[in-house]
Structure formats: structure tokens, C-alpha cells
Amino acid sequence: MGVQKSAYRQPVTAEGLKAIEEGTLTWLDDEMYNNLNTGVLEQYLEEKNLEESFEISHWSTGKVLLGIAIGAVFSGVTAYIGLKLGLAISAAWYIAYLLGMALKWTPSEVNIATSATTGATHASTGFIFTFPAIFLLGTDKYKLANGYLIENPDTFTLAFVGIVASMFAGFLGVMYFIIFRRVWLVEDPLPLPSFEATLKMLDIASDVNTGAVKHARDSLKTIGIATVITMGVLFLIEYPLIWVNGKKQALFDYIAESLSVGDFGLASFYNHGKIHQPAGINEKGESLKYTHWSEGSAWNPFAYTYVGVALTPSMFAIGWFMKTRVAFLVNLGTIVGWFFLVPLAVILNIPIYDAGLQTNIPIQDYSIETGNPMPLQMIAFSKTVRTVAIGSIVGGGLFGLVKMWRTFLSIFGDIGRAFRGEGGQEYMEGKGWYEWPLAHIPIFMALTFGTMILIFTLGGFPVIASLIFSIILISTTFLLGAIAVRVMGETGIEPVSGTSFIVLLMLMIVFLNFNEALNLSTEQAVLLGLVGTTVFGSAISMSGTVIGDYKNSLYIGNRPYHISKGNIMGVVPGAILGAGVAIFLSIELAEGRIDLIAPQANAFATFSVIFAEGQGDFYLLGLGFLLGMFVEWATGMGTSFGLGMYLDVPHTLPMLIGGVARDRWEEKKLKPRIEAIKSEEGSVAAEKQRALILLGTFMIAAGGLTGEAFLGTENSILSFIDSLWYNEDGSMMTVLGVSDFVISDAWYWIRLGSFVLINVIVGGLIYLLFKRAGVIGGDDEVAEAELITEA
């Protein structure tokens, strides 16, 4: 029989093979690290775990609930970051890990608790990327000649349908991967790039004598300080602190507009948290925001593009996590869009389609013909480049899947072997469950199938249409979920957007072409497609989430059953809270009370208009599709390239700055320090210190993400409350005898006081929690004695 070949399996070392044969190799020792992804090691550890994991892997409901609480809170944070930047990145895992390490949990306990954290964080991913498109389609931005594609949607009903359906889909997403756990993590292990860093953190948690507990507590303090500093700085940048003559401004904007002399002023270069190319100011000293094109200013290169840097800690933090290469590939899409496609569109005076007039207008005449005051480069970006970007996202995602056709051919064999249970064991007599029983999967498939039909029917959709959707969801979650997880296992990136576009395309083709037979109106067809894609996004995100938790559990001796259970428990609170925040922010975005890019949601909205009304430039869409395919072929990052093209330079440039800054810091600062430790204490100590130092920088970055999300959400809530003091005709209310209450001094102080009070209360609760855990205000010996007493 020939030797089995694998693209992932690495050759086992002689020392590792000897330790395996003698049975001396164990979790987290040097030979384990030397033989990761060999297949031989994983099969050895699987057998070892079957015998010994019951002594190590213990379920603690209290610790899991703490992990869920962290994940649920950060699901809301992730929703804000996802809508603002288009990337669903969360620091919840790091915080849960650090808290567990500070409390001296074992690696097993940390792994189980954080599996619940990741489950709660990612259960509402669909609501971040897809659901907001429903509300955007009811805005003037997407208004058609005959009105809105979706008008006055029933928010409560759609939220109920989407949240409940996403819960069941999330359960299904977790269970589906149970089929592949043994095949893709034991027999032919997927490498899951960068997972070693997570494993090293769990390793550090096992050694309380290296100062890890103290370092964890210091890191938790670091993220708290970074969060406070971020919120403080952004408060000055974003909060309307200055109210003069009925005008509300942030302090930085007020200063910028005050520092002007004649036609020159700081506001020409700074506006609403962005340092940008010179745009000029008006007679009031206000920024014109963008350099405007005219026949007289056609010589000015800034009139053809938009360059700047947004003061957003989140994008810098994301760049720090990504490092230079990935950050550059995302920026590459922005560079192509803003330094090539946008100027080309303006210079060539290409025709722009206007949905309201239902005609094409040369871009240089567009503002005159339509009365739209938007500068030409922004018109070119919104009307042409973003269409190319959508095509690139879809083309890159599809071609990324096509590239793996050999993988798809083998998937069905993997499914057959998994269902036959070759080498797998579920229940151990006298011990309990080792992994979740496969027999539950068809049962839960049937339960999900029936629940989807019931929920969507109760939501006002026809029974037959709901039935068809349920069939598509069950099949696509299984097949596309398997593909997406395989891609994530190979590249470290799960193509949620790419596969979601495929599902939306399938649903739109079915519901729009057969809407009369299915008793669907056009609006219902689009709604069902978008809500259905939302549910799919949550399901597939959960499939991708569990692979990392399962992989770490194999190397530290945890039972897969506990990982599955933790993820499943995290789905319900995560879906409710994360979806709730995402829906609230989506409504605020559609009403114009907050300014978030929401790239995927806008892309889904545009995609829906194109397919529902046939309005849109299919040539540009096709060009983007081919461009995305080429970039995917050349770099493997076609979807990220398309996402970058959908963003503007001020928002992606900080990401690149963050990526370059990390690489430079590692080269100039970290590397010499680690080399010195290695020469004095050995490579093992050096690697642990490297992980701890990196973790400290991650906490600063996480503080940036958290602080911006917290402040942004609070500002959104206050903006919503502001809107309550207006009458339906737009006039300001009289409240408690105060006319024009919303711009009065009374409301100014109530609003500011409420903002401060909210943050004091939240900060106080976090302080008390950390103090109770021994993170603040206590030494290691006292905290340890308290924990032993409680135990």
C-alpha cells in the first residue's frame, strides 16, 4: 500500500517518534511542539486523550458562564467594529484568557471557558455583515425611480426571526464540524496558521512560577488603561462638547475651525477625526471636506482622489494584529481604487447611472444635472469603484473556492469516513462523553429544518418559500461550511463574505425568478434573501470558530465534548446581545445619526438592487469579478483586496501604519531582547517571554478596539436620544417648559452628565470585579489563599 500524501502533514522528528513509541511524549512538552501537524503526533494524542483526558478535562459551569459573559459583551463591541471597519475582530478571547490566567485556571479550564467566549462573540456575525442592508435599502442612497426596494420594514418581527433562526443555525454550525474534527485535526491535520501563538498562551497559563500570573494581571491593567486613554482622546475628537449658536461640535473640530485666517485654516486639513488633503474652507471657516473638481481646478491632482489618515485606533490595532503583508494586501485594494480607478473615472468623464432619473450622465456634469453637491471623486467612488469592489469580493471568494476543487472531491470521502466513525469513539463506559455524538446531528438537522419553516412562516413569509429556504440553508451550511472551514484551516482566514454572497445569489435567483409561484412580492423576496443570508453567516462563522478551539483542545488534553458544549452554550446570549447592538446601530446608520462605513452591508444592499431591479453596471461588476479572481490567484487574498477597495484611504492607511509599526518594533526592539534572554536562560524561556511581551502589545491594541467601540456605541445611544426631542415635522420639542430643548443648555448638561455617569458606573463595576478577582489591589499570595479557601 502506498504512503498517504498530504499537503499539510509534516515529517515527524526522530526524537518525537521515539517518545511516541515509548509513550513518554505528553502535552505541551518540547517534542510536542517539534511535531505539530505531523499526523502521527495528533493520532497519538487522540489515543492518549481517550484514556487520560477524563482526569484533566473538567466542566466548570461558573467559569464557562464567565467566559460567556465576556463573549456576549464583546459581541456588541465586535458589531460596532464590524460596521465601522468591515472586519469582525474581537479581543474577547484575549481578555477571557488573561482573566483565567490571573485566577490561576488550568489550560484545560481556560480552553473550555474561552470556547464559550468565542461562541458568544461570533454567533451574531450575520447581523454585522448582512442584516444592516435591510435598513440601508430604505434610505435615499438606494432609492429607485419607483420608490424604495424595502420600505418601513417590521424591525421587531425581522429581528425575532433572524435572532431565533441564527441561534439554531449557530448550533448546527458547531455540530457540523464535529463530523470533520477527527478527519481534519487528527488524521490529516489542517495547519490553521498562527494557532501556535494561542497554544503558547495556554502553555504559559500552566506555569505559574514564571511570573505568568503577575503578567496576566498587569496585562489586564494595560487593556483597562488603554481603553480609558482611547475613550478620552476620542471623546475630544467625536463627542459634541462645544455648543455655540445652536451648532454642536467636537472640541477638535471647533479648534480647527477657529484657527483660520482669511481663506486659510486648519479645517482645510482636518475634519471630523480625519487629517486629509487640503480641501479649503468656506466663509464660516468650516472644512469643505474634499478637494472639489471644476474646470478651473482640473490641474489639481487632489481633485481626483481623497488621501488622509483617520484618527481611528481600531484600524491601527487591526493592522498591528495583521502585520505588514496582510495589511498591505487589504490596502492594495484601496490603492488601486483611489489612485487608479477613481482618477480614471473622473478624467475620462465616464457616464454615471442615476437610479432616480433612470439615465446615464457624464460624471463631470453629474452634480449639475442632479443637484448632488458631492465632489466628483466621491461620486466616482460610490457609483463605480464600489461596484467593481463588490465584483472583486465575489470573484475573489468564488475563485478561492474553485482553487480548492481537489479538496472538494475528497470532502465527500471525509464525510463518509467520519459518519462511519472510523477510529472515533464517543461515549466511554464508566467515564462519560468524549465527543459529541454524531447521532445528534441528523436529529438536530431535522429540528432546525422544522424550526426554520415555523419561524419564517410566523414572520410573515409564505410556507413554501420558507420550506425552500430551509432546504438551501441546511445544504449550504453543510457544503459551503465545510469548504469555508477547510479554507480557514489552510489560510487562517474564513471566507464568510465570499460564501455569503454565493448564498444570497442562490436565494435571489430562486425567490425573484419564482416570486409569483411562491406568492412573494419583490420586497418579501429581497427580505427573505437578506434575512436568510444573515442566518447563513452566523452558522458558517460558528463552524469556523470551533476549529481553533478543537485544535488547541487536542494538544492540551481536553475532551471535544466540552468544547462543543461551551460553544453551543455561548450561542444564545451572544446572538441576542450582538444582534441587538447590530440592529440598533443599523437603524441609527440608516437614519443618518451615525456615520459608519458598513462595507459588507452596503455591498449586499447594492447587490440586492442589481438583482431585484436590474439596475447597475454589470460590466463594472464583471470587471471587478475578474480583478478579484486575478488577485486571489496571485496572492490568495482576493476577498480582502475587494474589501479594501470598498474602503477609503483614511480608514485603511492607519491599518498599514499599524502593520508596518509592528514589524519594525519586532525587528528593532523585540528580537534583540529575546536573543539576549535566549543566550542567558535558553530557548524555552525566551519563547515564553516573547509570547508574554507580544501579548502585552496585543492588550494595548485590544484597548484601542474596545475603547473606540464603547465610545462609539455610547455616542450612538445619545444620538438616538437626541432624536426623541424632535416632532414628526422636524421641529424641536418643548420639554419641561424649555423650548428647543435638544439644543438648550439644560439638555447639554444632562447629556454630558449622563455620559460621564454611565462610564463611571461601568468603570466602577469592572474595578470591583477585578479587585474581587485579585487582579487589582492585592498580591499573588493573598489572591491564591482566597482561591484555595473558596475552593
Side-chain angles (χ1 to χ4, degrees):
M1 188 175 73
V3 177
Q4 182 181 359
K5 295 181 179 180
S6 171
Y8 320 115
R9 184 173 296 179
Q10 304 299 315
V12 64
T13 65
E15 293 80 5
L17 186 59
K18 181 180 179 181
I20 288 173
E21 290 175 345
E22 295 177 352
T24 58
L25 190 152
T26 191
W27 308 289
L28 302 177
D29 67 14
D30 289 345
E31 288 309 319
M32 189 202 80
Y33 280 106
N34 293 334
N35 289 277
L36 296 177
N37 297 317
T38 61
V40 176
L41 169 70
E42 283 74 18
Q43 291 177 48
Y44 166 80
L45 289 177
E46 177 77 354
E47 296 301 318
K48 182 180 177 68
N49 291 346
L50 282 166
E51 297 296 326
E52 302 178 30
S53 65
F54 293 90
E55 301 299 323
I56 295 172
S57 182
H58 297 293
W59 180 267
S60 172
T61 301
K63 292 170 182 174
V64 169
L65 289 177
L66 182 57
I68 290 174
I70 294 171
V73 170
F74 274 85
S75 65
V77 173
T78 304
Y80 181 85
I81 296 297
L83 284 170
K84 182 167 186 175
L85 307 174
L87 298 167
I89 292 181
S90 171
W93 192 95
Y94 292 106
I95 295 172
Y97 158 78
L98 283 169
L99 190 57
M101 194 166 75
L103 295 174
K104 298 187 179 180
W105 294 355
T106 65
S108 171
E109 292 169 331
V110 173
N111 180 225
I112 294 171
T114 52
S115 71
T117 300
T118 53
T121 303
H122 293 280
S124 57
T125 301
F127 283 89
I128 301 171
F129 291 155
T130 310
F131 204 78
I134 294 171
F135 302 99
L136 291 173
L137 286 171
T139 63
D140 290 341
K141 182 178 180 180
Y142 294 98
K143 188 175 183 179
L144 306 173
N146 57 349
Y148 300 102
L149 192 58
I150 296 177
E151 193 165 6
N152 298 321
D154 187 341
T155 303
F156 179 80
T157 300
L158 291 176
F160 170 76
V161 170
I163 291 173
V164 175
S166 291
M167 289 178 188
F168 281 88
F171 299 151
L172 197 61
V174 174
M175 290 190 173
Y176 271 163
F177 190 74
I178 296 169
I179 300 171
F180 301 106
R181 186 196 68 83
R182 184 169 182 86
V183 176
W184 286 346
L185 294 182
V186 178
E187 296 175 359
D188 193 14
L190 293 170
L192 197 63
S194 302
F195 96 94
E196 294 89 349
T198 305
L199 185 62
K200 179 60 70 174
M201 292 177 191
L202 291 170
D203 191 351
I204 294 169
S206 69
D207 190 354
V208 297
N209 297 319
T210 60
V213 172
K214 182 180 184 301
H215 195 99
R217 293 173 181 173
D218 290 342
S219 294
L220 284 169
K221 296 174 186 176
T222 298
I223 192 174
I225 293 170
T227 299
V228 170
I229 292 175
T230 299
M231 293 183 70
V233 173
L234 289 180
F235 173 80
L236 302 178
I237 295 173
E238 297 181 0
Y239 185 87
L241 188 62
I242 308 299
W243 293 16
V244 179
N245 299 324
K247 184 178 180 180
K248 302 178 181 180
Q249 285 183 292
L251 178 62
F252 277 28
D253 284 310
Y254 176 76
I255 293 173
E257 292 183 10
S258 300
L259 297 177
S260 62
V261 178
D263 295 333
F264 300 95
L266 181 60
S268 177
F269 300 92
Y270 175 84
N271 173 66
H272 284 78
K274 294 177 184 176
I275 301 171
H276 52 71
Q277 64 190 41
I281 58 175
N282 61 20
E283 63 278 1
K284 298 179 181 179
E286 299 168 335
S287 174
L288 296 179
K289 299 182 181 180
Y290 310 102
T291 308
H292 290 254
W293 186 94
S294 66
E295 292 185 3
S297 65
W299 58 269
N300 188 348
F302 288 126
Y304 299 89
T305 188
Y306 179 51
V307 182
V309 178
L311 302 181
T312 166
S314 293
M315 287 305 269
F316 181 88
I318 290 170
W320 187 272
F321 286 123
M322 285 181 169
K323 303 185 71 172
T324 302
R325 180 183 179 275
V326 178
F328 173 74
L329 288 173
V330 174
N331 267 263
L332 188 60
T334 313
I335 292 168
V336 170
W338 283 97
F339 294 100
F340 179 70
L341 296 178
V342 168
L344 194 65
V346 177
I347 291 170
L348 297 180
N349 197 23
I350 67 168
I352 300 295
Y353 181 81
D354 184 79
L357 299 177
Q358 289 189 315
T359 185
N360 288 299
I361 304 170
I363 189 170
Q364 294 178 13
D365 300 325
Y366 188 85
S367 296
I368 299 173
E369 294 287 338
T370 64
N372 189 336
M374 188 182 297
L376 297 193
Q377 68 267 44
M378 303 309 295
I379 294 172
F381 175 60
S382 62
K383 299 289 186 178
T384 62
V385 175
R386 279 190 161 170
T387 303
V388 177
I390 292 168
S392 183
I393 292 170
V394 178
L398 281 175
F399 191 69
L401 302 180
V402 171
K403 283 198 307 183
M404 299 186 63
W405 66 271
R406 289 188 177 87
T407 297
F408 305 156
L409 293 178
S410 66
I411 282 177
F412 293 102
D414 293 344
I415 293 171
R417 285 189 290 139
F419 269 114
R420 288 195 299 270
E422 295 179 2
Q425 297 187 51
E426 298 171 356
Y427 186 78
M428 306 291 289
E429 289 295 335
K431 295 182 178 180
W433 291 101
Y434 176 71
E435 59 184 337
W436 202 281
L438 288 174
H440 286 190
I441 296 177
I443 296 173
F444 206 86
M445 286 174 65
L447 179 62
T448 302
F449 182 77
T451 302
M452 292 296 169
I453 297 173
L454 176 63
I455 292 297
F456 277 84
T457 302
L458 290 175
F461 297 101
V463 176
I464 301 299
S466 301
L467 172 66
I468 293 173
F469 164 71
S470 297
I471 294 171
I472 293 175
L473 175 70
I474 296 294
S475 57
T476 54
T477 301
F478 184 71
L479 295 176
L480 292 180
I483 293 168
V485 170
R486 187 70 174 259
V487 172
M488 184 175 181
E490 293 180 347
T491 66
I493 300 171
E494 187 178 17
V496 176
S497 296
T499 49
S500 293
F501 270 109
I502 296 171
V503 172
L504 180 61
L505 178 61
M506 293 172 61
L507 294 174
M508 288 296 188
I509 289 174
V510 173
F511 296 140
L512 288 173
N513 287 308
F514 301 97
N515 60 323
E516 292 184 4
L518 297 173
N519 196 27
L520 286 169
S521 65
T522 300
E523 179 174 323
Q524 281 184 311
V526 174
L527 275 173
L528 187 52
L530 290 172
V531 176
T533 306
T534 297
V535 175
F536 169 82
S538 297
I540 198 173
S541 181
M542 289 304 301
S543 290
T545 295
V546 297
I547 184 174
D549 296 324
Y550 275 136
K551 193 168 181 72
N552 282 308
S553 72
L554 177 65
Y555 294 119
I556 63 172
N558 263 347
R559 286 187 269 167
Y561 175 78
H562 283 159
I563 303 302
S564 302
K565 187 177 177 181
N567 270 279
I568 289 171
M569 282 187 64
V571 167
V572 174
I576 294 173
L577 188 55
V581 174
I583 293 169
F584 168 73
L585 293 174
S586 300
I587 295 173
E588 294 297 285
L589 177 64
E591 294 292 334
R593 288 190 284 267
I594 57 174
D595 183 21
L596 301 176
I597 299 173
Q600 287 93 342
N602 277 288
F604 280 118
T606 303
F607 207 62
S608 300
V609 169
I610 289 173
F611 276 89
E613 297 292 317
Q615 294 185 359
D617 195 325
F618 286 92
Y619 290 104
L620 290 176
L621 200 66
L623 174 65
F625 190 91
L626 294 175
L627 183 60
M629 287 178 60
F630 172 76
V631 175
E632 178 65 31
W633 170 77
T635 68
M637 297 283 289
T639 303
S640 296
F641 174 86
L643 178 62
M645 190 182 295
Y646 208 91
L647 303 173
D648 58 16
V649 176
H651 280 94
T652 58
L653 192 55
M655 181 195 302
L656 184 59
I657 293 171
V660 172
R662 177 176 169 185
D663 281 350
R664 295 281 296 174
W665 173 78
E666 286 190 2
E667 181 67 25
K668 301 295 183 182
K669 300 291 184 181
L670 181 61
K671 187 176 178 180
R673 184 174 175 183
I674 297 304
E675 290 296 330
I677 296 173
K678 185 183 292 185
S679 63
E680 294 178 6
E681 303 179 35
S683 59
V684 175
E687 283 302 310
K688 288 187 176 182
Q689 284 301 311
R690 184 179 188 278
L692 288 170
I693 294 169
L694 267 179
L695 184 61
T697 68
F698 290 168
M699 289 306 98
I700 296 174
L705 285 168
T706 306
E708 185 165 356
F710 279 176
L711 186 78
T713 304
E714 290 172 3
N715 279 337
S716 301
I717 294 171
L718 290 172
S719 296
F720 169 72
I721 296 174
D722 285 343
S723 70
L724 300 178
W725 311 128
Y726 287 89
N727 296 306
E728 292 184 3
D729 61 359
S731 62
M732 290 177 280
M733 290 184 179
T734 297
V735 180
L736 300 176
V738 180
S739 61
D740 296 341
F741 180 71
V742 74
I743 60 172
S744 67
D745 290 343
W747 178 237
Y748 173 89
W749 291 110
I750 293 172
R751 193 184 198 275
L752 181 60
S754 300
F755 176 85
V756 173
L757 183 62
I758 290 171
N759 285 285
V760 169
I761 292 173
V762 172
L765 291 174
I766 294 173
Y767 177 83
L768 291 175
L769 173 64
F770 279 13
K771 184 175 179 63
R772 180 70 182 85
V775 175
I776 297 175
D779 55 45
D780 292 348
E781 289 75 13
V782 172
E784 183 175 4
E786 290 177 353
L787 289 170
I788 292 172
T789 302
E790 290 176 0

